[in-house]
């Protein structure tokens, strides 16, 4: 079939970050990634996503790999194609808010080490939480992409998202991304949203769409977005796609045939990347997500597939394996009480954990400190009205006052303090990069610095011998973070509750 291509659709390849984060808990080591770089770099992608919170975390926690060294390696091997990272705004790659100077230094260092495109999001879509990083990225001349964390609720209309896009444009972002971390953007919604944003912001502001494949409908959403004027879509090489991952790159390219839309991506190169990863992903079989097919229940709970199996494990550990259905029904109710926050790191973990506690211990009998903070504005302003009764409980439980300011405005300068704590750690190399590793992962960084000299580990299993090359001291955990102890307050008394965390791979 011959049709003239009237418009080129760009592609961001996710194989090196979100794909293995979603499918094998972010465990792929650098030695299994480098072999694909030449073909990836030559293929003609708009960008290659290769860095973010979970990859950084997994590098220092499980792979004994310096995440900055990984980034420099990618830059060396892929000099032509822009490298992209996912940044949690004021949270950087960690789980708390950082003072502005730390945020700025992180952005400068990431640019210096090789990041070209920064996709910057806030879980609550509170744009005050991304202002500092957008400004810092623009200051060093890199591409600042403002993000809309997509969610579905009675208040999340096309008009509300279009308004957010306009405000991102006013902030001076270089492009906008609609980020659907749970695969819940249905085809018509994708069409309406892309059309609405394009009309409001004008044809010159680039619009990207990130979707997962979990619900089975989003390949059609990509097509509708293309028809509505999207500039770039995110896909993953087929051998690292589907399930809780993404739509396959090759399928997307093939789908466009005869539509008048085309891509600049060289299918021959892409097929080489495909065969490369066949054998690589095989090594990580034990980390493979249990969700391999389609999950349409996500439309209701909005819980990303990767989080579901972890929640099941968590309930089983509490002897409540039969309560999963109750928890899945509780999540939308808790989310409503928060004013319909989108569920993405860290709000997904906060809402999910609170729903588990509500089911196991009674309706808001116990509040986690994080949930109370969310209700009181310490993560930022949420999209809708919060349940005043639950806000009152949060005040009572924590003796804290609700805030309306930008949360980072409450923080004092902290760079020098972080530096003075990091530098004496055995193995710390004295660089700002190491200080940032310590700032974001204060528990894990000291252990990592101390044994970094041993070099990267491969936690995969040799498919021929079945022998794991993993360091014997490492635990085989299916989650990124260790158990979390929450300080919870019941009737004025503080208790410690330990829960296995959910998989943070929800982005
Ligand atoms: Co994602």
């Amino acid at each position: 079939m011959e049709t003239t291509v009237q418009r080129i659709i760009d592609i961001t390849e996710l194989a090196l970050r979100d794909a293995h984060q979603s499918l094998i808990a972010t465990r792929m080591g650098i030695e299994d990634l480098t072999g694909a770089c030449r073909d990836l770099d030559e293929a003609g992608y708009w960008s290659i996503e290769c860095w973010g919170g979970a990859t950084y975390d997994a590098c220092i926690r499980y792979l004994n790999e310096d995440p900055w060294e990984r980034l420099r390696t990618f830059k060396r091997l892929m000099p032509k194609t822009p490298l992209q990272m996912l940044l949690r705004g004021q949270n950087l790659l960690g789980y708390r808010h950082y003072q502005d100077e730390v945020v700025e230094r992180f952005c400068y260092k990431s640019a210096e080490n090789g990041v070209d495109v920064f996709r910057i999001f806030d879980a609550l879509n509170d744009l005050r939480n991304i202002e500092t990083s957008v400004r810092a990225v623009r200051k060093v001349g890199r591409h600042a992409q403002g993000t809309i964390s997509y969610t579905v609720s009675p208040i999340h209309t096309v008009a509300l998202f279009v308004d957010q896009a306009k405000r991102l444009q006013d902030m001076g972002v270089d492009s906008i991304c609609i980020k659907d971390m749970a695969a819940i953007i249905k085809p018509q919604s994708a069409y309406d949203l892309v059309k609405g944003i394009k009309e409001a912001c004008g044809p010159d502001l680039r619009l990207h769409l990130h979707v997962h494949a979990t619900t089975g409908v989003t390949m059609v959403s990509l097509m509708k977005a293309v028809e509505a004027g999207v500039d770039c879509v995110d896909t993953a090489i087929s051998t690292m796609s589907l399930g809780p991952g993404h739509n396959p790159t090759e399928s997307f390219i093939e789908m466009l045939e005869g539509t008048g839309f085309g891509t600049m991506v060289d299918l021959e190169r892409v097929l080489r990347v495909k065969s490369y990863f066949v054998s690589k992903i095989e090594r990580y079989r034990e980390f493979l997500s249990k969700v391999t097919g389609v999950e349409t229940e996500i439309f209701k709970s909005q819980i990303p597939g990767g989080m579901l199996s972890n929640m099941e494990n968590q309930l089983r550990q509490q002897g409540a394996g039969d309560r999963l259905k109750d928890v899945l029904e509780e999540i939308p109710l808790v989310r409503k009480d928060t004013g319909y926050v989108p569920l993405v790191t860290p709000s997904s973990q906060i809402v999910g954990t609170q729903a588990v506690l509500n089911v196991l211990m009674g309706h808001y009998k116990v509040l986690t400190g994080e949930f109370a903070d969310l209700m009181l504005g310490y993560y930022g302003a949420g999209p809708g009205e919060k349940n005043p009764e639950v806000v009152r409980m949060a005040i009572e439980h924590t003796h804290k006052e609700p805030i309306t300011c930008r949360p980072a405005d409450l923080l004092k300068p902290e760079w020098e303090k972080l530096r003075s704590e990091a530098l004496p750690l055995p193995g710390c190399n004295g660089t700002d990069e190491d200080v940032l590793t310590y700032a974001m992962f204060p528990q894990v960084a000291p252990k990592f610095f101390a044994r970094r000299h041993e070099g990267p580990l491969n936690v995969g299993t040799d498919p021929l011998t079945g022998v794991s090359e993993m360091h014997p001291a490492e635990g085989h955990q299916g989650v990124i973070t260790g158990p979390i102890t929450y300080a919870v307050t019941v009737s004025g008394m503080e208790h410690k509750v330990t829960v296995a965390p959910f998989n943070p791979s929800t982005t």
Side-chain angles (χ1 to χ4, degrees):
M1 190 184 343
E2 283 293 322
T3 320
T4 326
V5 170
Q6 278 149 12
R7 199 161 70 83
I8 292 296
I9 309 299
D10 293 322
I11 299 180
T12 292
E13 172 60 51
L14 303 170
L16 303 184
R17 201 281 297 180
D18 205 356
H20 75 106
Q21 174 174 336
S22 300
L23 295 176
I24 52 165
T26 335
R27 292 306 204 282
M28 204 169 273
I30 187 69
E31 67 168 5
D32 288 333
L33 297 167
T34 49
C37 288
R38 192 179 152 76
D39 287 317
L40 284 169
D41 196 32
E42 297 288 341
Y45 292 109
W46 186 81
S47 68
I48 295 167
E49 193 199 37
C50 62
W51 222 51
T55 50
Y56 199 109
D57 191 336
C59 272
I60 60 169
R61 196 183 295 270
Y62 300 120
L63 307 177
N64 203 42
E65 203 187 306
D66 192 324
W68 296 95
E69 186 56 38
R70 173 180 282 211
L71 176 57
R72 289 189 289 269
T73 302
F74 283 150
K75 193 67 189 172
R76 196 172 63 244
L77 298 176
M78 297 181 285
K80 287 186 181 172
T81 313
L83 300 187
Q84 184 170 318
M85 80 165 293
L86 182 64
L87 182 65
R88 295 177 199 143
Q90 207 74 22
N91 293 352
L92 299 177
L93 305 179
Y95 299 93
R96 69 166 174 94
H97 285 254
Y98 289 90
Q99 195 266 337
D100 287 339
E101 184 186 356
V102 183
V103 173
E104 285 157 5
R105 284 179 184 270
F106 177 85
C107 293
Y108 301 156
K109 279 291 156 187
S110 301
E112 191 184 310
N113 282 278
V115 176
D116 301 290
V117 179
F118 292 70
R119 175 173 292 170
I120 309 169
F121 78 98
D122 177 64
L124 307 188
N125 283 329
D126 182 343
L127 300 189
R128 298 173 304 173
N129 291 339
I130 71 166
E131 270 168 14
T132 303
S133 33
V134 166
R135 200 183 315 121
V137 167
R138 289 190 54 80
K139 194 173 164 195
V140 278
R142 298 303 193 275
H143 186 110
Q145 182 168 82
T147 304
I148 294 170
S149 301
Y150 182 75
T151 190
V152 176
S153 85
I155 61 167
H156 284 92
T157 57
V158 170
L160 183 140
F161 285 129
V162 167
D163 174 65
Q164 190 184 339
K166 286 288 290 174
R167 286 185 290 131
L168 285 168
Q169 186 175 33
D170 293 344
M171 196 188 283
V173 298
D174 297 293
S175 64
I176 289 179
C177 172
I178 303 165
K179 173 178 163 63
D180 172 23
M181 47 280 171
I184 55 173
I185 194 163
K186 290 179 180 172
Q188 192 59 43
S189 304
Y191 185 91
D192 295 343
L193 192 49
V194 169
K195 194 107 195 143
I197 292 174
K198 273 288 176 186
E199 276 170 12
C201 297
D204 294 339
L205 187 63
R206 290 182 62 86
L207 184 57
H208 293 219
L209 177 59
H210 176 83
V211 297
H212 285 244
T214 334
T215 56
V217 309
T218 57
M219 187 58 128
V220 186
S221 308
L222 290 183
M223 191 65 227
K224 293 295 278 184
V226 166
E227 289 169 5
V230 84
D231 296 282
C232 182
V233 299
D234 289 13
T235 59
I237 197 72
S238 60
T239 38
M240 300 262 277
S241 73
L242 298 176
H246 313 82
N247 294 288
T249 306
E250 305 94 296
S251 310
F252 179 79
I253 297 170
E254 298 280 7
M255 178 176 74
L256 295 184
E257 191 180 337
T259 62
F261 303 102
T263 78
M264 298 297 282
V265 176
D266 175 356
L267 204 49
E268 288 300 308
R269 287 280 181 183
V270 169
L271 290 172
R272 288 165 60 119
V273 176
K274 171 197 176 179
S275 25
Y276 172 81
F277 278 115
V278 173
S279 59
K280 297 303 177 192
I281 194 147
E282 188 61 28
R283 306 181 73 173
Y284 299 88
R285 181 170 281 279
E286 69 170 300
F287 299 105
L288 205 60
S289 166
K290 303 286 178 292
V291 183
T292 49
V294 160
E295 282 286 350
T296 53
E297 289 93 335
I298 291 168
F299 286 122
K300 193 172 168 218
S301 69
Q302 304 203 15
I303 285 292
M307 198 164 153
L308 209 63
S309 56
N310 266 294
M311 199 180 300
E312 233 173 326
N313 284 337
Q314 180 175 335
L315 286 165
R316 216 173 289 128
Q317 281 167 18
Q318 309 277 331
D322 54 337
R323 307 297 297 276
L324 182 66
K325 197 165 172 290
D326 300 332
V327 172
L328 290 182
E329 276 165 19
E330 180 68 13
I331 286 170
L333 304 177
V334 174
R335 185 166 163 261
K336 185 179 178 201
D337 290 335
T338 66
Y340 298 108
V341 295
L343 297 183
V344 60
T345 306
S347 57
S348 46
Q349 289 85 347
I350 296 171
V351 169
T353 303
Q354 188 59 47
V356 169
L357 290 176
N358 283 5
V359 166
L360 296 183
M361 312 186 66
H363 202 59
Y364 297 118
K365 285 281 186 293
V366 168
L367 300 190
T368 67
E370 286 83 355
F371 184 76
D373 280 351
L374 179 68
M375 292 306 288
L376 298 177
Y378 288 90
Y379 286 90
E385 288 292 314
K386 296 182 185 104
N387 183 338
E389 183 60 17
V390 184
V391 173
R392 192 187 54 75
M393 284 189 262
I395 297 171
E396 243 168 45
H397 278 93
T398 59
H399 306 292
K400 280 178 165 174
E401 284 304 310
I403 59 164
T404 53
C405 68
R406 186 184 74 121
D409 286 338
L410 301 173
L411 301 172
K412 294 187 179 66
E414 57 177 335
W415 175 256
E416 287 308 324
K417 180 172 174 287
L418 290 165
R419 199 165 172 272
S420 67
E421 286 167 6
L423 294 192
L425 293 171
C428 176
N429 64 19
T431 60
D432 283 3
E433 285 84 345
D434 265 14
V435 177
L436 289 161
T437 298
Y438 169 75
M440 295 187 289
F441 300 94
Q443 268 97 46
V444 187
K447 289 176 224 158
F448 166 68
F449 292 157
R451 56 188 289 230
R452 171 167 44 193
H453 64 274
E454 293 168 20
L457 293 167
N458 190 309
V459 299
T461 305
D462 189 318
L464 294 176
T465 63
V467 173
S468 172
E469 294 164 32
M470 193 162 172
H471 193 277
E474 284 288 299
H476 281 224
Q477 287 166 282
V479 291
I480 294 294
T481 49
I484 300 171
T485 301
Y486 288 103
V488 295
T489 317
V490 191
S491 322
M493 296 266 290
E494 192 161 281
H495 300 265
K496 296 260 188 273
V497 175
T498 303
V499 273
F502 302 131
N503 193 333
S505 313
T506 57
T507 54

